[in-house]
Amino acid sequence: MAKKVLIVFAHESPASFSAAAKDAAVAALNAQDWTVEVSDLYSMKFKAAATAEDITGGMKNAENFCYADEIKLAWEEGRLVDDIKKEQDKLKEADLVIFQFPLYWSSVPAIMKGWMDRVLGFAYAQEKRYSEGLFKDKKAMLSFTTDCPESVYSATGINGDINVTLWPLQKGILSYCGFQVLAPQIFWDPAHVPAEARSSMLESWRTRLQNLCGEAPLYFAPLDYFAKEKGFQLKPEVHEEYASKEFGLTVGIHMGKPLPANSQIKAGV
């Protein structure tokens, strides 16, 4: 059965390197008989703000509106507005989701964050999250450009460790929803390097896309490592297992130890 990929794209300029990376992915995946769909958020004029307007019909608690509660109920009852429904239909069909964007303020552009808030909102569930999340059978990844060289996002660079930067996006959003998160594709500072270097970046991306589906995902501690009755703290046996190890379990769950190096940019770390 042919694989299906959804590329969520956020850049206003079709002449941008982000657009070139998106086009390279479309061509490379189509050549492998993938079915590729692109959500070009700026062209779509996608609404970024998550508001009560996303829901049709009445509210469960209009007086004390809670978006997370209301959006999940509206999803269950088929009362979401059309632009969200269309994106959720694309997501339902996809085996892989690629988020292609320029890094803004160490995160995604507002329009893409709005897509995540509105389209993934129904997956924000306490009972089904992380390794038990709604999208545990799907893969997702970030593919993005930066406006500075790799050294700036190093453990001794002025912007800090890129692994720490990516933790809220990859752990807090993608992994939370259950996605198997593939290592990000990072295009370092394409606007300030020679044309040959940009061409090399795109060629490396095309090469990686040849076996993207076969890649192992990044490691995140599974839900069963944590005791619900203890406020979702690490279970004693897990804590004991890692107590003598040199590095922490993950970037965020570091147990007061040094962070595992490159665990947010390389699988198997």
Side-chain angles (χ1 to χ4, degrees):
M1 185 178 295
K3 295 287 187 180
K4 297 182 179 180
V5 60
L6 170 62
I7 301 177
V8 184
F9 174 63
H11 200 296
E12 227 171 344
S13 173
S16 65
F17 188 90
S18 290
K22 177 260 297 179
D23 292 342
V26 171
L29 293 170
N30 276 334
Q32 299 175 66
D33 295 325
W34 284 67
T35 299
V36 183
E37 185 145 23
V38 177
S39 286
D40 186 338
L41 301 184
Y42 283 103
S43 293
M44 294 160 58
K45 298 186 180 346
F46 189 80
K47 174 177 169 279
T51 67
E53 295 174 352
D54 294 342
I55 299 162
T56 63
M59 302 289 173
K60 178 182 178 182
N61 188 349
E63 186 174 332
N64 186 20
F65 178 75
C66 174
Y67 189 85
D69 292 342
E70 298 288 353
I71 202 76
K72 186 177 180 183
L73 181 62
W75 170 70
E76 292 172 348
E77 297 178 352
R79 295 187 293 105
L80 294 172
V81 292
D82 285 344
D83 67 335
I84 294 180
K85 285 181 180 178
K86 289 177 182 177
E87 294 305 296
Q88 288 180 343
D89 286 344
K90 297 175 188 177
L91 183 60
K92 181 180 179 181
E93 293 296 318
D95 300 292
L96 167 67
V97 183
I98 299 174
F99 294 91
Q100 181 67 58
F101 60 96
L103 198 66
Y104 280 9
W105 294 107
S106 295
S107 188
V108 296
I111 198 168
M112 181 171 283
K113 182 55 165 61
W115 189 97
M116 292 173 171
D117 289 345
R118 299 178 68 226
V119 177
L120 300 179
F122 74 97
Y124 186 79
Q126 298 291 321
E127 63 277 8
K128 288 187 178 181
R129 54 181 168 166
Y130 298 123
S131 54
E132 298 299 323
L134 294 180
F135 302 131
K136 63 183 180 180
D137 295 324
K138 299 180 183 294
K139 294 181 178 180
M141 68 173 296
L142 307 178
S143 176
F144 61 90
T145 62
T146 72
D147 66 349
C148 55
E150 185 174 3
S151 60
V152 175
Y153 274 103
S154 68
T156 55
I158 192 170
N159 283 1
D161 190 340
I162 189 65
N163 293 276
V164 176
T165 300
L166 295 177
W167 178 258
L169 293 170
Q170 296 188 151
K171 164 72 172 182
I173 299 177
L174 301 182
S175 177
Y176 189 102
C177 292
F179 286 111
Q180 300 170 51
V181 185
L182 300 181
Q185 182 71 23
I186 308 176
F187 300 101
W188 295 106
D189 202 18
H192 302 107
V193 299
E196 295 81 6
R198 289 194 292 274
S199 295
S200 180
M201 289 179 185
L202 291 174
E203 190 57 38
S204 293
W205 180 217
R206 294 186 188 99
T207 299
R208 183 182 177 191
L209 287 161
Q210 299 302 312
N211 190 43
L212 194 63
C213 197
E215 288 187 5
L218 300 174
Y219 174 77
F220 296 97
L223 192 62
D224 62 8
Y225 270 25
F226 303 89
K228 182 178 181 180
E229 67 278 6
K230 298 291 186 180
F232 288 100
Q233 291 288 297
L234 278 176
K235 291 178 177 178
E237 59 269 28
V238 178
H239 198 286
E240 183 179 350
E241 178 185 351
Y242 281 86
S244 61
K245 295 182 183 284
E246 180 181 1
F247 297 102
L249 182 59
T250 60
V251 170
I253 308 159
H254 51 70
M255 304 168 64
K257 298 173 179 289
L259 305 185
N262 295 326
S263 65
Q264 289 299 293
I265 60 175
K266 292 182 180 179
V269 176

